[in-house]
Amino acid sequence: MNLAPRTVVPEHRQVVRAVLNEALESKLGGEVVVKSTSVSGRIFVVERKVAWTVLTGPGARSFSMALIDARLVSREDVEQVMAECRKSGGNFCETLVAWGLVARDTLRDLLCRHLGGQLDTLLGLTEAQALFVPQPRSYASQMTFQLEELAPPAKPSGTPLPLVMPSQLPPLSESEATVNVKQVLEEALKIDGAFSVCLADANSGMTLGSSGSAGFNIEAAAAGNTEVVRAKMKTMKTLGLKDRIEDILITLGEQYHIIRPLGTREGLFLYLALHRSSANLAMARFRLADLEKTLQL
Protein backbone atom coordinates (compact mmCIF):
# COMPACT_ATOMS: atom_id res chain seq x y z
CA MET A 1 0.00 0.00 0.00
CA ASN A 2 1.39 3.39 -0.97
CA LEU A 3 1.32 5.96 1.79
CA ALA A 4 0.35 9.42 0.59
CA PRO A 5 2.63 12.28 1.67
CA ARG A 6 1.08 14.55 4.24
CA THR A 7 1.31 18.28 3.65
CA VAL A 8 1.08 20.75 6.51
CA VAL A 9 0.22 24.37 5.72
CA PRO A 10 2.14 26.72 8.02
CA GLU A 11 -0.01 28.36 10.70
CA HIS A 12 2.75 29.26 13.16
CA ARG A 13 6.53 29.26 13.35
CA GLN A 14 6.77 25.76 14.85
CA VAL A 15 5.39 24.00 11.78
CA VAL A 16 8.72 22.40 10.83
CA ARG A 17 9.26 21.04 14.33
CA ALA A 18 5.71 19.65 14.39
CA VAL A 19 6.18 17.78 11.11
CA LEU A 20 9.63 16.57 12.17
CA ASN A 21 8.15 15.22 15.41
CA GLU A 22 5.54 13.40 13.34
CA ALA A 23 8.31 11.80 11.28
CA LEU A 24 10.25 10.81 14.41
CA GLU A 25 7.16 9.11 15.80
CA SER A 26 6.62 7.12 12.62
CA LYS A 27 7.73 3.48 12.66
CA LEU A 28 8.59 3.71 8.96
CA GLY A 29 10.65 6.87 9.10
CA GLY A 30 11.14 8.75 5.87
CA GLU A 31 11.91 12.24 4.71
CA VAL A 32 10.78 15.70 5.83
CA VAL A 33 10.91 18.23 3.00
CA VAL A 34 10.99 21.89 4.05
CA LYS A 35 10.56 24.86 1.74
CA SER A 36 10.45 28.61 2.31
CA THR A 37 11.21 31.72 0.29
CA SER A 38 14.78 31.89 1.61
CA VAL A 39 15.91 28.33 2.24
CA SER A 40 14.87 24.74 1.70
CA GLY A 41 15.96 21.48 3.23
CA ARG A 42 15.46 17.76 3.70
CA ILE A 43 15.66 15.81 6.95
CA PHE A 44 16.08 12.03 6.77
CA VAL A 45 14.66 9.99 9.65
CA VAL A 46 15.65 6.36 10.27
CA GLU A 47 14.43 4.30 13.24
CA ARG A 48 13.04 7.41 14.95
CA LYS A 49 16.36 9.25 14.79
CA VAL A 50 17.77 11.95 12.51
CA ALA A 51 20.24 10.35 10.10
CA TRP A 52 21.06 13.22 7.74
CA THR A 53 20.03 16.70 6.66
CA VAL A 54 20.49 18.59 3.42
CA LEU A 55 20.23 22.39 3.50
CA THR A 56 19.72 24.41 0.32
CA GLY A 57 20.03 28.18 0.27
CA PRO A 58 22.41 31.09 0.80
CA GLY A 59 25.51 30.06 2.71
CA ALA A 60 24.63 26.36 2.88
CA ARG A 61 27.64 24.05 3.11
CA SER A 62 27.83 20.29 2.73
CA PHE A 63 29.29 18.04 5.42
CA SER A 64 32.23 17.18 3.18
CA MET A 65 33.10 20.89 2.99
CA ALA A 66 32.81 21.06 6.79
CA LEU A 67 35.34 18.23 7.03
CA ILE A 68 37.68 20.02 4.63
CA ASP A 69 37.28 23.36 6.45
CA ALA A 70 38.14 21.59 9.74
CA ARG A 71 41.30 20.24 8.03
CA LEU A 72 40.33 16.66 8.88
CA VAL A 73 40.50 15.51 5.26
CA SER A 74 41.62 16.85 1.91
CA ARG A 75 39.50 17.36 -1.20
CA GLU A 76 41.26 14.39 -2.74
CA ASP A 77 40.25 12.26 0.25
CA VAL A 78 36.61 13.31 -0.18
CA GLU A 79 36.63 12.50 -3.89
CA GLN A 80 38.16 9.06 -3.28
CA VAL A 81 35.69 8.23 -0.49
CA MET A 82 32.74 9.34 -2.60
CA ALA A 83 34.00 7.24 -5.51
CA GLU A 84 34.26 4.21 -3.21
CA CYS A 85 30.74 4.82 -1.84
CA ARG A 86 29.32 5.01 -5.36
CA LYS A 87 31.07 1.77 -6.24
CA SER A 88 30.24 -0.21 -3.11
CA GLY A 89 27.06 1.50 -1.92
CA GLY A 90 28.77 2.18 1.41
CA ASN A 91 28.06 4.99 3.85
CA PHE A 92 30.19 8.14 3.54
CA CYS A 93 30.91 8.53 7.27
CA GLU A 94 31.52 4.85 7.90
CA THR A 95 33.95 4.74 4.98
CA LEU A 96 35.89 7.69 6.40
CA VAL A 97 36.25 5.78 9.68
CA ALA A 98 37.07 2.45 8.01
CA TRP A 99 39.84 4.08 5.97
CA GLY A 100 41.32 5.62 9.11
CA LEU A 101 40.87 9.17 7.83
CA VAL A 102 38.84 10.43 10.81
CA ALA A 103 38.34 8.92 14.28
CA ARG A 104 34.76 7.85 14.94
CA ASP A 105 34.27 10.07 18.01
CA THR A 106 35.71 13.10 16.21
CA LEU A 107 33.53 12.47 13.17
CA ARG A 108 30.39 11.96 15.22
CA ASP A 109 31.01 15.20 17.14
CA LEU A 110 31.50 17.22 13.95
CA LEU A 111 28.49 15.57 12.29
CA CYS A 112 26.34 16.36 15.33
CA ARG A 113 27.34 20.03 15.21
CA HIS A 114 26.87 20.18 11.44
CA LEU A 115 23.40 18.62 11.46
CA GLY A 116 22.46 20.67 14.52
CA GLY A 117 23.34 23.91 12.75
CA GLN A 118 21.26 22.97 9.74
CA LEU A 119 18.31 21.97 11.93
CA ASP A 120 18.56 25.27 13.83
CA THR A 121 18.11 27.08 10.53
CA LEU A 122 15.17 24.95 9.38
CA LEU A 123 13.43 25.00 12.77
CA GLY A 124 13.86 28.77 12.96
CA LEU A 125 11.99 29.52 9.73
CA THR A 126 9.04 31.78 10.44
CA GLU A 127 7.21 30.98 7.20
CA ALA A 128 7.67 27.54 5.70
CA GLN A 129 5.87 24.58 4.26
CA ALA A 130 6.73 21.11 5.50
CA LEU A 131 5.99 17.76 3.93
CA PHE A 132 6.51 14.37 5.58
CA VAL A 133 7.02 11.55 3.08
CA PRO A 134 6.85 8.18 4.92
CA GLN A 135 9.38 5.82 3.39
CA PRO A 136 11.26 2.90 4.96
CA ARG A 137 15.01 3.26 4.47
CA SER A 138 18.02 1.10 5.23
CA TYR A 139 20.90 3.12 6.64
CA ALA A 140 24.36 1.58 6.87
CA SER A 141 25.58 3.62 9.82
CA GLN A 142 25.01 4.00 13.55
CA MET A 143 25.73 7.72 13.35
CA THR A 144 22.16 8.81 13.93
CA PHE A 145 20.91 11.29 16.53
CA GLN A 146 18.03 11.96 18.85
CA LEU A 147 16.43 15.33 18.14
CA GLU A 148 17.48 16.55 21.60
CA GLU A 149 21.14 15.99 20.66
CA LEU A 150 20.84 18.24 17.62
CA ALA A 151 18.34 20.93 18.54
CA PRO A 152 17.18 22.36 21.87
CA PRO A 153 13.46 22.30 22.78
CA ALA A 154 11.31 24.87 21.00
CA LYS A 155 11.05 28.28 22.62
CA PRO A 156 7.84 30.35 22.56
CA SER A 157 9.63 33.25 20.95
CA GLY A 158 12.95 34.03 19.39
CA THR A 159 14.75 34.94 16.24
CA PRO A 160 15.81 32.38 13.64
CA LEU A 161 19.52 32.01 13.14
CA PRO A 162 20.73 34.30 10.37
CA LEU A 163 21.96 32.68 7.20
CA VAL A 164 25.25 33.73 5.67
CA MET A 165 24.51 35.52 2.43
CA PRO A 166 26.53 34.74 -0.69
CA SER A 167 28.14 38.19 -0.64
CA GLN A 168 29.67 37.33 2.77
CA LEU A 169 31.25 34.11 1.53
CA PRO A 170 34.74 34.07 0.01
CA PRO A 171 34.69 33.19 -3.69
CA LEU A 172 35.33 29.55 -4.47
CA SER A 173 38.62 28.59 -6.06
CA GLU A 174 38.53 26.57 -9.27
CA SER A 175 39.15 23.32 -7.36
CA GLU A 176 36.44 24.18 -4.81
CA ALA A 177 33.98 24.94 -7.61
CA THR A 178 34.79 21.58 -9.20
CA VAL A 179 34.10 19.78 -5.92
CA ASN A 180 30.87 21.74 -5.51
CA VAL A 181 29.64 20.72 -8.98
CA LYS A 182 30.47 17.08 -8.28
CA GLN A 183 28.58 17.21 -4.99
CA VAL A 184 25.50 18.71 -6.63
CA LEU A 185 25.53 16.08 -9.37
CA GLU A 186 25.90 13.30 -6.80
CA GLU A 187 22.93 14.68 -4.86
CA ALA A 188 20.88 14.81 -8.08
CA LEU A 189 21.52 11.09 -8.60
CA LYS A 190 19.83 10.42 -5.24
CA ILE A 191 16.51 11.65 -6.67
CA ASP A 192 14.11 8.73 -7.05
CA GLY A 193 14.40 7.28 -10.56
CA ALA A 194 17.49 9.30 -11.54
CA PHE A 195 20.18 7.42 -13.41
CA SER A 196 22.26 10.12 -15.12
CA VAL A 197 22.87 13.85 -14.76
CA CYS A 198 25.20 16.55 -16.09
CA LEU A 199 25.89 20.28 -16.10
CA ALA A 200 26.21 21.62 -19.64
CA ASP A 201 26.78 24.83 -21.59
CA ALA A 202 24.05 25.64 -24.14
CA ASN A 203 26.38 27.95 -26.05
CA SER A 204 29.14 25.43 -26.73
CA GLY A 205 27.41 22.11 -26.09
CA MET A 206 30.25 21.16 -23.73
CA THR A 207 29.63 19.24 -20.53
CA LEU A 208 31.13 20.77 -17.39
CA GLY A 209 30.50 17.73 -15.23
CA SER A 210 28.53 14.50 -15.33
CA SER A 211 27.66 11.50 -13.20
CA GLY A 212 25.59 8.36 -13.44
CA SER A 213 25.07 5.33 -15.62
CA ALA A 214 27.92 4.48 -17.95
CA GLY A 215 25.39 2.87 -20.29
CA PHE A 216 23.73 6.21 -21.05
CA ASN A 217 25.63 8.96 -22.88
CA ILE A 218 24.37 11.97 -20.93
CA GLU A 219 26.96 14.23 -22.57
CA ALA A 220 25.57 13.43 -26.04
CA ALA A 221 21.99 13.90 -24.81
CA ALA A 222 22.82 17.30 -23.32
CA ALA A 223 24.77 18.42 -26.39
CA GLY A 224 21.91 17.38 -28.66
CA ASN A 225 19.40 19.32 -26.61
CA THR A 226 21.36 22.57 -26.52
CA GLU A 227 19.40 23.49 -29.66
CA VAL A 228 16.19 23.00 -27.68
CA VAL A 229 17.39 25.36 -24.96
CA ARG A 230 18.65 28.00 -27.41
CA ALA A 231 15.47 27.80 -29.51
CA LYS A 232 13.25 28.29 -26.47
CA MET A 233 15.29 31.27 -25.25
CA LYS A 234 15.19 32.81 -28.73
CA THR A 235 11.42 32.32 -28.91
CA MET A 236 10.93 34.03 -25.56
CA LYS A 237 12.94 37.04 -26.75
CA THR A 238 10.93 37.17 -29.96
CA LEU A 239 7.68 37.15 -27.99
CA GLY A 240 8.99 39.77 -25.59
CA LEU A 241 8.50 37.52 -22.58
CA LYS A 242 10.47 38.95 -19.67
CA ASP A 243 10.55 35.75 -17.71
CA ARG A 244 12.87 32.81 -17.13
CA ILE A 245 12.55 29.16 -18.08
CA GLU A 246 12.29 27.08 -14.92
CA ASP A 247 12.62 23.77 -16.69
CA ILE A 248 11.90 21.91 -19.92
CA LEU A 249 10.44 18.40 -19.73
CA ILE A 250 10.99 15.74 -22.39
CA THR A 251 8.74 12.71 -21.87
CA LEU A 252 9.77 9.42 -23.46
CA GLY A 253 8.09 6.05 -23.26
CA GLU A 254 10.31 4.84 -20.40
CA GLN A 255 12.18 7.96 -19.33
CA TYR A 256 11.82 11.58 -18.25
CA HIS A 257 14.48 14.10 -19.23
CA ILE A 258 14.46 17.39 -17.31
CA ILE A 259 16.43 20.41 -18.54
CA ARG A 260 16.83 23.18 -15.94
CA PRO A 261 18.62 26.37 -17.10
CA LEU A 262 20.54 28.07 -14.29
CA GLY A 263 19.13 31.38 -13.15
CA THR A 264 22.55 32.58 -11.96
CA ARG A 265 24.61 31.69 -15.03
CA GLU A 266 23.03 32.31 -18.42
CA GLY A 267 23.64 29.49 -20.89
CA LEU A 268 24.35 26.75 -18.33
CA PHE A 269 21.77 24.07 -17.57
CA LEU A 270 21.33 20.90 -15.54
CA TYR A 271 20.22 17.84 -17.49
CA LEU A 272 18.65 15.00 -15.50
CA ALA A 273 17.47 11.64 -16.87
CA LEU A 274 15.06 9.48 -14.88
CA HIS A 275 13.26 6.15 -15.23
CA ARG A 276 9.51 6.86 -15.48
CA SER A 277 8.63 3.66 -13.60
CA SER A 278 10.38 4.77 -10.40
CA ALA A 279 10.38 8.57 -10.67
CA ASN A 280 8.13 11.07 -8.92
CA LEU A 281 8.13 13.89 -11.45
CA ALA A 282 6.87 16.60 -9.10
CA MET A 283 9.45 15.71 -6.44
CA ALA A 284 12.22 15.48 -9.06
CA ARG A 285 11.50 19.00 -10.33
CA PHE A 286 11.35 20.28 -6.75
CA ARG A 287 14.67 18.67 -5.81
CA LEU A 288 16.43 19.83 -8.98
CA ALA A 289 15.29 23.41 -8.27
CA ASP A 290 16.74 23.09 -4.77
CA LEU A 291 20.04 21.72 -6.01
CA GLU A 292 20.40 24.57 -8.50
CA LYS A 293 20.61 26.97 -5.54
CA THR A 294 23.63 25.12 -4.13
CA LEU A 295 25.73 25.47 -7.30
CA GLN A 296 28.55 27.96 -6.77
CA LEU A 297 30.28 28.77 -10.05
mmCIF file of all heavy atoms in Angstrom, residues 271-292:
data_model
loop_
_atom_site.group_PDB
_atom_site.id
_atom_site.type_symbol
_atom_site.label_atom_id
_atom_site.label_comp_id
_atom_site.label_asym_id
_atom_site.label_seq_id
_atom_site.Cartn_x
_atom_site.Cartn_y
_atom_site.Cartn_z
ATOM 1 N N TYR A 271 20.953 18.808 -16.678
ATOM 2 C CA TYR A 271 20.218 17.842 -17.495
ATOM 3 C C TYR A 271 20.105 16.551 -16.685
ATOM 4 O O TYR A 271 21.124 15.925 -16.362
ATOM 5 C CB TYR A 271 20.953 17.588 -18.802
ATOM 6 C CG TYR A 271 20.152 16.856 -19.847
ATOM 7 C CD1 TYR A 271 19.639 17.521 -20.959
ATOM 8 C CD2 TYR A 271 19.913 15.489 -19.753
ATOM 9 C CE1 TYR A 271 18.898 16.856 -21.932
ATOM 10 C CE2 TYR A 271 19.173 14.818 -20.714
ATOM 11 C CZ TYR A 271 18.679 15.494 -21.795
ATOM 12 O OH TYR A 271 17.944 14.831 -22.759
ATOM 13 N N LEU A 272 18.885 16.160 -16.351
ATOM 14 C CA LEU A 272 18.650 14.998 -15.495
ATOM 15 C C LEU A 272 17.785 13.980 -16.230
ATOM 16 O O LEU A 272 16.729 14.316 -16.771
ATOM 17 C CB LEU A 272 17.948 15.422 -14.198
ATOM 18 C CG LEU A 272 17.599 14.321 -13.211
ATOM 19 C CD1 LEU A 272 18.873 13.708 -12.624
ATOM 20 C CD2 LEU A 272 16.709 14.858 -12.090
ATOM 21 N N ALA A 273 18.236 12.733 -16.253
ATOM 22 C CA ALA A 273 17.474 11.643 -16.872
ATOM 23 C C ALA A 273 16.970 10.704 -15.790
ATOM 24 O O ALA A 273 17.720 10.329 -14.881
ATOM 25 C CB ALA A 273 18.365 10.883 -17.868
ATOM 26 N N LEU A 274 15.687 10.320 -15.888
ATOM 27 C CA LEU A 274 15.063 9.475 -14.879
ATOM 28 C C LEU A 274 14.276 8.341 -15.528
ATOM 29 O O LEU A 274 13.771 8.486 -16.644
ATOM 30 C CB LEU A 274 14.093 10.277 -13.989
ATOM 31 C CG LEU A 274 14.578 11.585 -13.368
ATOM 32 C CD1 LEU A 274 14.069 12.768 -14.181
ATOM 33 C CD2 LEU A 274 14.100 11.712 -11.927
ATOM 34 N N HIS A 275 14.142 7.235 -14.811
ATOM 35 C CA HIS A 275 13.263 6.149 -15.227
ATOM 36 C C HIS A 275 11.827 6.511 -14.832
ATOM 37 O O HIS A 275 11.563 6.792 -13.652
ATOM 38 C CB HIS A 275 13.663 4.841 -14.551
ATOM 39 C CG HIS A 275 15.014 4.324 -14.961
ATOM 40 N ND1 HIS A 275 15.296 3.931 -16.248
ATOM 41 C CD2 HIS A 275 16.156 4.143 -14.238
ATOM 42 C CE1 HIS A 275 16.554 3.514 -16.314
ATOM 43 N NE2 HIS A 275 17.102 3.648 -15.123
ATOM 44 N N ARG A 276 10.903 6.495 -15.780
ATOM 45 C CA ARG A 276 9.515 6.856 -15.477
ATOM 46 C C ARG A 276 8.893 5.934 -14.441
ATOM 47 O O ARG A 276 8.089 6.366 -13.603
ATOM 48 C CB ARG A 276 8.660 6.810 -16.749
ATOM 49 C CG ARG A 276 8.912 7.960 -17.697
ATOM 50 C CD ARG A 276 7.913 7.969 -18.842
ATOM 51 N NE ARG A 276 6.540 8.195 -18.380
ATOM 52 C CZ ARG A 276 5.500 8.370 -19.191
ATOM 53 N NH1 ARG A 276 5.682 8.323 -20.503
ATOM 54 N NH2 ARG A 276 4.309 8.578 -18.715
ATOM 55 N N SER A 277 9.260 4.648 -14.478
ATOM 56 C CA SER A 277 8.633 3.661 -13.601
ATOM 57 C C SER A 277 8.904 3.914 -12.120
ATOM 58 O O SER A 277 8.097 3.532 -11.261
ATOM 59 C CB SER A 277 9.108 2.251 -13.963
ATOM 60 O OG SER A 277 10.525 2.149 -13.830
ATOM 61 N N SER A 278 10.020 4.561 -11.806
ATOM 62 C CA SER A 278 10.383 4.772 -10.396
ATOM 63 C C SER A 278 10.512 6.242 -10.022
ATOM 64 O O SER A 278 10.878 6.561 -8.887
ATOM 65 C CB SER A 278 11.707 4.052 -10.085
ATOM 66 O OG SER A 278 12.729 4.441 -10.994
ATOM 67 N N ALA A 279 10.218 7.139 -10.940
ATOM 68 C CA ALA A 279 10.381 8.574 -10.666
ATOM 69 C C ALA A 279 9.083 9.207 -10.184
ATOM 70 O O ALA A 279 7.991 8.806 -10.586
ATOM 71 C CB ALA A 279 10.863 9.291 -11.921
ATOM 72 N N ASN A 280 9.220 10.184 -9.310
ATOM 73 C CA ASN A 280 8.126 11.069 -8.919
ATOM 74 C C ASN A 280 8.452 12.415 -9.558
ATOM 75 O O ASN A 280 9.327 13.139 -9.088
ATOM 76 C CB ASN A 280 8.047 11.182 -7.394
ATOM 77 C CG ASN A 280 6.914 12.089 -6.931
ATOM 78 O OD1 ASN A 280 6.633 13.118 -7.533
ATOM 79 N ND2 ASN A 280 6.267 11.702 -5.849
ATOM 80 N N LEU A 281 7.766 12.733 -10.647
ATOM 81 C CA LEU A 281 8.133 13.892 -11.452
ATOM 82 C C LEU A 281 8.065 15.190 -10.665
ATOM 83 O O LEU A 281 8.959 16.035 -10.751
ATOM 84 C CB LEU A 281 7.242 13.968 -12.694
ATOM 85 C CG LEU A 281 7.596 15.067 -13.711
ATOM 86 C CD1 LEU A 281 9.027 14.930 -14.184
ATOM 87 C CD2 LEU A 281 6.632 15.001 -14.902
ATOM 88 N N ALA A 282 7.021 15.364 -9.875
ATOM 89 C CA ALA A 282 6.874 16.597 -9.097
ATOM 90 C C ALA A 282 8.023 16.752 -8.105
ATOM 91 O O ALA A 282 8.612 17.821 -7.961
ATOM 92 C CB ALA A 282 5.528 16.603 -8.368
ATOM 93 N N MET A 283 8.365 15.655 -7.413
ATOM 94 C CA MET A 283 9.453 15.708 -6.443
ATOM 95 C C MET A 283 10.794 15.918 -7.138
ATOM 96 O O MET A 283 11.668 16.633 -6.634
ATOM 97 C CB MET A 283 9.488 14.417 -5.621
ATOM 98 C CG MET A 283 10.540 14.399 -4.524
ATOM 99 S SD MET A 283 10.267 15.675 -3.255
ATOM 100 C CE MET A 283 8.897 14.955 -2.357
ATOM 101 N N ALA A 284 10.971 15.316 -8.316
ATOM 102 C CA ALA A 284 12.224 15.478 -9.057
ATOM 103 C C ALA A 284 12.429 16.936 -9.455
ATOM 104 O O ALA A 284 13.537 17.471 -9.325
ATOM 105 C CB ALA A 284 12.223 14.574 -10.290
ATOM 106 N N ARG A 285 11.385 17.586 -9.945
ATOM 107 C CA ARG A 285 11.499 18.997 -10.325
ATOM 108 C C ARG A 285 11.791 19.866 -9.105
ATOM 109 O O ARG A 285 12.590 20.799 -9.158
ATOM 110 C CB ARG A 285 10.217 19.459 -11.024
ATOM 111 C CG ARG A 285 9.964 18.769 -12.349
ATOM 112 C CD ARG A 285 8.651 19.223 -12.975
ATOM 113 N NE ARG A 285 8.728 20.624 -13.377
ATOM 114 C CZ ARG A 285 7.811 21.539 -13.048
ATOM 115 N NH1 ARG A 285 6.773 21.204 -12.310
ATOM 116 N NH2 ARG A 285 7.942 22.782 -13.454
ATOM 117 N N PHE A 286 11.145 19.542 -7.994
ATOM 118 C CA PHE A 286 11.353 20.283 -6.746
ATOM 119 C C PHE A 286 12.796 20.142 -6.266
ATOM 120 O O PHE A 286 13.470 21.114 -5.913
ATOM 121 C CB PHE A 286 10.383 19.756 -5.676
ATOM 122 C CG PHE A 286 10.607 20.321 -4.304
ATOM 123 C CD1 PHE A 286 10.104 21.564 -3.953
ATOM 124 C CD2 PHE A 286 11.314 19.608 -3.347
ATOM 125 C CE1 PHE A 286 10.308 22.083 -2.685
ATOM 126 C CE2 PHE A 286 11.527 20.121 -2.084
ATOM 127 C CZ PHE A 286 11.016 21.365 -1.745
ATOM 128 N N ARG A 287 13.318 18.910 -6.276
ATOM 129 C CA ARG A 287 14.675 18.666 -5.806
ATOM 130 C C ARG A 287 15.707 19.309 -6.731
ATOM 131 O O ARG A 287 16.716 19.860 -6.261
ATOM 132 C CB ARG A 287 14.936 17.162 -5.720
ATOM 133 C CG ARG A 287 14.279 16.479 -4.553
ATOM 134 C CD ARG A 287 14.935 16.834 -3.226
ATOM 135 N NE ARG A 287 16.318 16.423 -3.188
ATOM 136 C CZ ARG A 287 17.349 17.238 -2.998
ATOM 137 N NH1 ARG A 287 17.157 18.529 -2.817
ATOM 138 N NH2 ARG A 287 18.592 16.775 -2.972
ATOM 139 N N LEU A 288 15.476 19.246 -8.041
ATOM 140 C CA LEU A 288 16.432 19.832 -8.980
ATOM 141 C C LEU A 288 16.488 21.347 -8.801
ATOM 142 O O LEU A 288 17.559 21.961 -8.894
ATOM 143 C CB LEU A 288 16.047 19.471 -10.406
ATOM 144 C CG LEU A 288 17.173 19.570 -11.461
ATOM 145 C CD1 LEU A 288 18.330 18.649 -11.093
ATOM 146 C CD2 LEU A 288 16.646 19.206 -12.837
ATOM 147 N N ALA A 289 15.333 21.960 -8.547
ATOM 148 C CA ALA A 289 15.294 23.413 -8.274
ATOM 149 C C ALA A 289 16.088 23.742 -7.016
ATOM 150 O O ALA A 289 16.800 24.756 -6.962
ATOM 151 C CB ALA A 289 13.853 23.869 -8.148
ATOM 152 N N ASP A 290 15.987 22.887 -5.991
ATOM 153 C CA ASP A 290 16.742 23.094 -4.771
ATOM 154 C C ASP A 290 18.241 22.974 -5.017
ATOM 155 O O ASP A 290 19.040 23.779 -4.532
ATOM 156 C CB ASP A 290 16.316 22.069 -3.715
ATOM 157 C CG ASP A 290 15.206 22.601 -2.825
ATOM 158 O OD1 ASP A 290 14.835 23.772 -2.981
ATOM 159 O OD2 ASP A 290 14.710 21.848 -1.981
ATOM 160 N N LEU A 291 18.620 21.963 -5.760
ATOM 161 C CA LEU A 291 20.036 21.722 -6.011
ATOM 162 C C LEU A 291 20.664 22.837 -6.826
ATOM 163 O O LEU A 291 21.850 23.147 -6.657
ATOM 164 C CB LEU A 291 20.214 20.374 -6.708
ATOM 165 C CG LEU A 291 19.958 19.147 -5.832
ATOM 166 C CD1 LEU A 291 19.970 17.873 -6.666
ATOM 167 C CD2 LEU A 291 21.003 19.056 -4.722
ATOM 168 N N GLU A 292 19.878 23.446 -7.703
ATOM 169 C CA GLU A 292 20.402 24.570 -8.498
ATOM 170 C C GLU A 292 20.916 25.674 -7.588
ATOM 171 O O GLU A 292 21.945 26.305 -7.871
ATOM 172 C CB GLU A 292 19.326 25.117 -9.434
ATOM 173 C CG GLU A 292 19.802 26.279 -10.269
ATOM 174 C CD GLU A 292 18.672 27.098 -10.869
ATOM 175 O OE1 GLU A 292 17.529 26.635 -10.886
ATOM 176 O OE2 GLU A 292 18.950 28.228 -11.326
#
